[in-house]
Amino acid sequence: MQRLTPQEEQCARDLLETVPIVMRMIRKQVRKHGASTLSVPQFRTLSFVNRRKGASLSEVADHIGLTLPSMSGLVDGLVTHGYITRKTQQEDRRKMNLMLTERGEKMLHVAREGAVTELSERLKRIQPNERATILRAMRILGEVFPEEKL
Amino acid sequence: MQRLTPQEEQCARDLLETVPIVMRMIRKQVRKHGASTLSVPQFRTLSFVNRRKGASLSEVADHIGLTLPSMSGLVDGLVTHGYITRKTQQEDRRKMNLMLTERGEKMLHVAREGAVTELSERLKRIQPNERATILRAMRILGEVFPEEKL
DNA sequence: TATTGTTATACTCTATAACTATA
DNA sequence: TATAGTTATAGAGTATAACAATA
């Protein structure tokens, strides 16, 4: 653990201050458009399963960054709401096969597009070069924190 | 609700994808250094009360962006852990006066500096101009989402 | 009557420990 | 024995509705 430059430190402090605020905004939008029934982790789970159809529980837990029991419970909720199906794999009967239902696909789409639209409305207020800065920052952060990636 | 430019939309999608990842990292660091007893909302609450000593419950709830009952419960936990004191105001006996205890001040300091240090370590891996981009982005985002501000 | 705060209730998030079933 | 997943348990986050106390 080496000495920190002021810039490194200030950058960290700003992240610590700003990210939770943006997170709260995102949570609000996802809930609003997810008919009040989707949390952010549920939303991210649907999103992942949509891209990796048939993923196992462990795979999803890894990518979302939850423990297996936590993910198991989270998926319980998604199954109960009819957004996901959970079937035992034939090749290895210890593993699950997760798939979105039609209802789940619809909900994911509605929640995502709703949240994107509202966030975009906010982002209209700033200048194009400012949006470009945010975009670049998100790409950089995505590389700095890769193991926690969606 | 007007038509979105591709840039506005892409910026929103990137926020939606990246912010939860960074948030998870922050949560992990705060917990790690907060001796596993501080959540991010609790951390933010301590931080706010530290700056606005004697704040009322409503003031804190407003600034953190929680409902009164939620904040009441959150503060319950902080009082139980001995990080905060809660006293009725003399001028208006409906209101509370929240203050950090010495223990609370110490915990806030340890949690914040620990999280900042670890985040900074990550940020060492990138170039100074990339850190500058992140810093600028955080400042811009802080202005775009002002009502939810810390 | 309006404001401040708490209690009751009910979800979700999240973890650890203990367990079951399969390989 | 090792892996995949569930169940049990527990504390925190969060909201709405109903309530008490104060102004």
Side-chain angles (χ1 to χ4, degrees):
Chain A
M1 199 119 98
Q2 218 192 323
R3 182 121 168 50
L4 298 175
T5 69
Q7 192 216 24
E8 285 159 7
E9 191 180 327
Q10 193 55 54
C11 191
R13 286 188 196 282
D14 273 53
L15 275 173
L16 204 50
E17 180 175 325
T18 306
V19 168
I21 297 167
V22 180
M23 188 62 191
R24 173 167 299 278
M25 175 65 185
I26 289 177
R27 202 176 285 136
K28 197 187 299 177
Q29 295 308 334
V30 168
R31 276 190 179 284
K32 183 171 169 187
H33 294 278
S36 313
T37 61
L38 273 192
S39 67
V40 169
Q42 286 175 330
F43 169 77
R44 292 182 65 214
T45 300
L46 288 186
S47 191
F48 179 74
V49 173
N50 186 234
R51 280 189 292 122
R52 304 274 203 127
K53 299 178 204 304
S56 74
L57 195 66
S58 295
E59 283 168 351
V60 182
D62 263 9
H63 282 264
I64 302 294
L66 287 182
T67 59
L68 260 179
S70 297
M71 185 50 78
S72 183
L74 193 154
V75 167
D76 280 349
L78 292 174
V79 170
T80 298
H81 286 305
Y83 297 142
I84 265 192
T85 59
R86 186 171 33 180
K87 288 192 302 192
T88 303
Q89 287 185 17
Q90 289 311 317
E91 322 83 63
D92 184 340
R93 295 172 44 72
R94 291 173 303 183
K95 294 186 183 171
M96 294 283 120
N97 241 275
L98 302 180
M99 303 273 282
L100 291 201
T101 61
E102 203 173 316
R103 182 179 158 81
E105 283 174 8
K106 245 177 240 163
M107 175 57 95
L108 174 60
H109 186 263
V110 168
R112 173 146 50 197
E113 296 315 306
V116 166
T117 301
E118 298 241 15
L119 286 173
S120 300
E121 287 300 318
R122 293 289 197 115
L123 295 169
K124 268 186 186 307
R125 301 178 190 171
I126 59 178
Q127 300 301 315
N129 70 315
E130 293 180 311
R131 281 193 295 272
T133 296
I134 294 174
L135 206 42
R136 277 201 306 278
M138 291 304 114
R139 301 283 163 89
I140 296 165
L141 286 172
E143 287 176 19
V144 174
F145 304 113
E147 58 273 38
E148 293 87 4
K149 82 165 162 310
L150 180 67
Chain B
M1 201 121 99
Q2 219 191 322
R3 182 123 169 51
L4 300 174
T5 69
Q7 191 215 25
E8 286 158 7
E9 192 180 325
Q10 194 55 54
C11 191
R13 287 187 195 282
D14 272 52
L15 275 173
L16 204 51
E17 180 173 324
T18 307
V19 168
I21 297 168
V22 180
M23 187 64 192
R24 172 168 302 276
M25 174 66 186
I26 289 178
R27 200 177 286 135
K28 196 187 299 177
Q29 295 308 334
V30 168
R31 277 190 180 284
K32 182 172 170 186
H33 294 278
S36 312
T37 62
L38 272 193
S39 67
V40 169
Q42 285 175 330
F43 169 77
R44 293 182 64 215
T45 300
L46 288 185
S47 189
F48 178 75
V49 173
N50 187 237
R51 280 188 293 123
R52 304 275 204 124
K53 298 178 204 306
S56 73
L57 195 66
S58 295
E59 284 167 350
V60 182
D62 263 8
H63 282 264
I64 301 293
L66 288 182
T67 59
L68 261 177
S70 296
M71 186 49 80
S72 184
L74 194 154
V75 167
D76 280 349
L78 292 173
V79 169
T80 299
H81 286 304
Y83 298 142
I84 265 192
T85 59
R86 186 171 34 180
K87 288 191 303 193
T88 303
Q89 287 186 16
Q90 289 311 318
E91 323 84 61
D92 184 341
R93 297 172 40 73
R94 291 172 305 182
K95 294 186 183 172
M96 294 283 119
N97 240 274
L98 302 180
M99 303 273 283
L100 290 200
T101 61
E102 202 172 317
R103 180 179 159 80
E105 283 173 9
K106 243 176 243 161
M107 176 55 93
L108 173 61
H109 186 264
V110 168
R112 172 147 49 200
E113 296 315 307
V116 165
T117 300
E118 297 241 15
L119 287 173
S120 300
E121 288 299 318
R122 293 290 197 111
L123 295 169
K124 268 187 186 308
R125 301 177 190 173
I126 59 178
Q127 301 301 316
N129 70 315
E130 292 180 310
R131 282 192 294 272
T133 296
I134 293 174
L135 205 41
R136 277 203 307 280
M138 292 304 115
R139 301 285 162 89
I140 295 165
L141 287 171
E143 287 177 19
V144 174
F145 304 113
E147 59 271 39
E148 294 87 1
K149 83 167 163 307
L150 181 69

